Every structure is written in C-alpha cells, then in structure tokens.
Amino acid sequence: MARVSILVLAGFLLLTGPAHGVDEHIRGVLEKTARTDACAQITDALNEIYYVAKGDAAEKMCADLLGKRVVLTGTVEQHAGDTAYYLVLKKAEAYQAKLPAAPKTPDGKAETSMPLPPAGPAPLPLPKEEKSAAPEPKKDAPGPAKDTPKKTEEK
C-alpha cells in the first residue's frame, strides 16, 4: 500500500512540476514587443504570452515571420523576479495546416469536403394582410343634461 501511494505521489509531482529542457511548440501570430530583453512575442491558444528571448539567431529567425502565423519551437523559461514566460528559440517556421488539399473536379474547381444538400422547393409567398377599416371612435350617447331640471309627473 505504501508503494502505491509513493508511486502516485511521484507521478503527481512529475505531472505538476516544471518541465525544464522540454521542447515546446507554440502556435500563434508572431508580433513585435516593447520588452528590451525579447525580440518578439507570441500569444498561444490559451492567451498566454510568450516572449522570444533576445539573441542573434532568434532575431534572424523572427525577422521574416513578424505578423504571420507561425510555429515556434524552443524551451520555456522564467527569469528571476519576472512572471513572464520566455522562449529560448530553436526553430521558427510559418504555420501550415496539415489537412490534405481538396480534390479537384473535372472543371478544375476545388471540391468541397461535404456535398451541399439539394435545393428544396421554393418557399410559399406570405399571405397578404388585408387592412380592415379602423373602428370609428364611439360617440358619447346623448344623456340628460345636468343643467336642465327634471320633469316630474304629478298625479
């Protein structure tokens, strides 16, 4: 039982501990940065910002790719007293989707992956609304005037 708990604890520490020296692949748009210790920045899918650590090789790799979708490969580090993530760049390349090209039809146009559904019948026109005559405002029925004295019959 003690062995199992030690193995579980060791596995937990491996999963949660920092992974130094492991290459990370970060995909996003490479942008300029205002930081003096970085030559560019990239935001990943989880909105984490990574700064490309400044260096001659990193600046050369990033120069042609600024403003484009890229995949950066390198190790992630944090500097002492700074919460930002820095990427020590090993490789930078333009992002290319790994999907196969769409098959071509005989007329040379690209075929869609899913056919469009057949066109259904034309929709029926909406019924025309008939305008009914607006009801005339009710006129007050003539009632006994308040100022006229009431006639009483005497017997």
Side-chain angles (χ1 to χ4, degrees):
M1 186 67 165
R3 259 188 211 175
V4 173
S5 63
I6 291 174
L7 289 176
V8 170
L9 180 61
F12 178 76
L13 291 176
L14 284 175
L15 291 176
T16 60
H20 296 289
V22 176
D23 283 349
E24 297 283 335
H25 302 283
I26 301 171
R27 183 176 69 187
V29 177
L30 194 62
E31 302 170 333
K32 291 182 182 181
T33 186
R35 289 195 175 237
T36 58
D37 54 350
C39 61
Q41 72 182 34
I42 188 169
T43 305
D44 69 356
L46 298 175
N47 286 330
E48 292 283 338
I49 297 176
Y50 294 87
Y51 297 98
V52 179
K54 201 168 209 170
D56 292 336
E59 288 179 15
K60 288 178 185 176
M61 284 189 263
C62 292
D64 296 333
L65 298 174
L66 284 175
K68 297 179 184 175
R69 288 185 55 97
V70 296
V71 176
L72 300 181
T73 305
T75 56
V76 177
E77 298 177 349
Q78 281 188 309
H79 296 169
D82 193 359
T83 59
Y85 296 109
Y86 289 88
L87 182 70
V88 178
L89 195 60
K90 292 183 180 178
K91 183 178 173 185
E93 57 191 354
Y95 172 74
Q96 295 177 356
K98 294 182 180 182
L99 296 175
K104 300 280 183 179
T105 58
D107 59 354
K109 294 182 180 177
E111 190 176 294
T112 60
S113 61
M114 299 228 9
L116 294 174
L124 297 175
L126 295 174
K128 293 182 180 178
E129 292 182 19
E130 295 180 18
K131 291 188 176 181
S132 61
E136 293 181 19
K138 293 184 181 180
K139 295 180 181 176
D140 292 337
K146 294 181 181 178
D147 296 338
T148 59
K150 292 185 181 180
K151 295 182 181 180
T152 58
E153 288 185 23
E154 293 182 20
K155 289 187 178 179

